[in-house]
């Protein structure tokens, strides 16, 4: 018997949906927040075409929630982000850069406001809870911080409205982008938001209570049988087309939000309580930036490491962090970090790929 590709121990956590995901034929997994995140179910390209034409259910339990509750909850969250939270509504979700005192990216979570004194931070792949706990103790804040038994299940694709309407009723379909509502799910009120890591539109159901996971999964698949609902997962092709950045790849701990292209979420005039505020004031004009790139030549295999980017004169000017062939755009689409002198749309560069050197052109916008 050959050794499994991923040695399974309790450290590598399963999700409430893992048995259903396995039965649906997950072809592989990645590890995200010490947990299993399924990859493709058919092929990357088949999953992509289906996501853009039908509806998929994604086990994104790896988007762990950090609950911050108590009189100082807002103060603590605002210390970690330059996005101004003062006018956030009780039913709102915000995409927020989370930064350290030097203004460097610690994570790029979705923040959910559940009440004036209660938030969920829906994290990307880094142990952000440890930072909150350190700050709360160091500043003697009156909050409690923990990882609740909450596991998001995303419903994404053009038929997501239809499927969610059938299962949870028309009220939830009326929810606006990045707003949430409490809806009865498996006999208990749970949060459903119009959000998700695709640009096809859809919802995220924040399952509360792992024991209800399989019943929720089965209900969605029964109700959506005639819609050709399938198991899916965040799709590399679709998310590069849409310009959704991946923390750990496209954005790293060395990037500032300005370098990551998230300057629109930095409200430095008002969010002065952010611990990175002074540092960010000095970094508003970055010397490098995350940019959309098109790579010439035959279809490329997805990148598993950074590819060096050089100018036409051979000087290293950045790197590509994500790249894949897009069937719909008939091009190799990519995301990279590029130095200031070379980041303008139309600039021609060279990428060192495992399939040899390739011409690269900086684009002015993402594809979708
Ligand atoms: N959903 C939830 N949690 C998450 C993710 C998610 N945590 C990790 C990761 N994904 C966080 N990253 C992103 C990145 C982009 C978006 C959401 C999460 C996104 N951005 C929109 C855009 O850029 O157009 C809208 C941003 C806005 O206007 O606020 O949707 O997917 N629960």
């Amino acid at each position: 018997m050959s050794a499994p590709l991923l040695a399974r121990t309790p450290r590598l956590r399963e999700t409430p949906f893992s048995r259903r995901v396995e039965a649906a034929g997950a072809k592989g997994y990645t590890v995200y927040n010490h947990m299993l995140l399924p990859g493709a179910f058919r092929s990357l390209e088949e999953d992509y075409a289906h996501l853009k034409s039908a509806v998929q259910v994604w086990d994104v339990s790896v988007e762990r929630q950090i609950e911050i509750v108590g009189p100082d909850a807002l103060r603590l969250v605002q210390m970690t982000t330059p996005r101004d939270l003062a006018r956030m509504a009780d039913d709102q979700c915000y995409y927020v850069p989370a930064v350290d005192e030097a203004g460097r990216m610690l994570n790029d979570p979705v923040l959910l406001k559940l009440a004036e004194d209660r938030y969920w931070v829906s994290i990307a792949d880094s142990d952000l809870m440890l930072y909150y706990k350190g700050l709360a103790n160091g500043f003697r804040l009156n909050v409690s911080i923990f990882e609740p038994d909450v596991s998001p299940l995303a419903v994404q694709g053009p038929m997501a409205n239809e499927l969610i309407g059938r299962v949870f009723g028309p009220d939830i379909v009326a929810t606006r982008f990045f707003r949430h509502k409490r809806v009865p799910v498996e006999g208990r009120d749970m949060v459903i938001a119009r959000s998700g890591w695709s640009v096809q539109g859809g919802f995220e159901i924040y399952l509360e209570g792992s024991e209800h996971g399989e019943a929720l999964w089965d209900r969605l698949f029964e109700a959506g049988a005639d819609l050709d609902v399938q198991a899916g997962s965040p799709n590399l092709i679709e998310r590069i087309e849409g310009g959704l950045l991946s923390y750990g790849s496209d954005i790293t701990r060395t990037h500032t939000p300005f370098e990551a292209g998230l300057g629109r979420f930095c409200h430095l005039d008002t969010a002065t309580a952010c611990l990175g505020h002074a540092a960010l004031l000095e970094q508003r004009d970055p010397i490098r930036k995350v940019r959309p790139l098109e790579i010439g030549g035959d279809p490329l295999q997805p990148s598993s490491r950074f590819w060096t980017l050089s100018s036409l004169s051979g000087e290293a000017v950045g790197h590509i962090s994500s790249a894949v062939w897009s069937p719909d755009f008939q091009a190799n689409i990519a995301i990279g970090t590029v130095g200031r002198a070379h980041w303008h749309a139309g600039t021609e560069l060279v990428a060192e790929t495992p399939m040899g050197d390739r011409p690269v052109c900086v684009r002015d916008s993402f594809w979708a």
Side-chain angles (χ1 to χ4, degrees), residues 149-339:
D149 179 12
V150 173
S151 299
L153 188 66
V155 178
Q156 301 285 297
M159 297 307 285
N161 280 344
E162 175 65 26
L163 179 54
I164 287 290
R166 286 184 190 181
V167 178
F168 302 108
D171 268 12
I172 188 66
V173 178
T175 309
R176 289 184 287 150
F177 185 63
F178 267 50
R179 299 281 172 155
H180 63 76
K181 285 197 172 79
R182 284 207 162 260
V183 176
V185 178
E186 303 310 317
R188 179 173 167 182
D189 271 6
M190 298 189 198
V191 172
I192 300 184
R194 187 181 282 282
S195 58
W197 215 55
S198 85
V199 296
Q200 303 310 309
F203 298 84
E204 291 179 301
I205 305 162
Y206 289 79
L207 175 78
E208 281 183 69
S210 294
E211 67 278 16
H212 302 300
E214 295 182 352
L216 170 60
W217 179 281
D218 293 343
R219 186 182 300 272
L220 289 164
F221 279 84
E222 279 156 27
D226 62 308
L227 301 174
D228 187 29
V229 60
Q230 287 183 20
S233 58
N235 186 279
L236 180 68
I237 313 171
E238 197 270 350
R239 72 99 179 160
I240 297 179
E241 288 178 357
L244 295 173
L245 306 180
S246 179
Y247 183 79
S249 296
D250 308 315
I251 307 174
T252 70
R253 267 179 288 185
T254 71
H255 285 86
T256 68
F258 296 109
E259 291 176 337
L262 302 178
R264 65 189 182 284
F265 302 118
C266 296
H267 305 139
L268 300 185
D269 291 344
T270 49
T272 53
C274 171
L275 297 180
H277 183 262
L280 286 173
L281 275 178
E282 301 300 315
Q283 299 179 76
R284 280 172 295 183
D285 290 319
I287 59 167
R288 58 174 196 161
K289 226 182 223 178
V290 171
R291 300 289 286 137
L293 308 165
E294 197 157 304
I295 309 175
D298 295 339
L300 288 163
Q301 291 302 113
S303 56
S304 63
R305 54 176 59 84
F306 291 162
W307 297 343
T308 300
L309 276 171
S310 303
S311 68
L312 295 183
S313 59
E315 174 201 3
V317 299
H319 66 268
I320 287 174
S321 45
S322 301
V324 73
W325 174 259
S326 161
D328 285 358
F329 291 92
Q330 286 291 301
N332 292 304
I333 61 175
I335 300 172
T337 296
V338 185

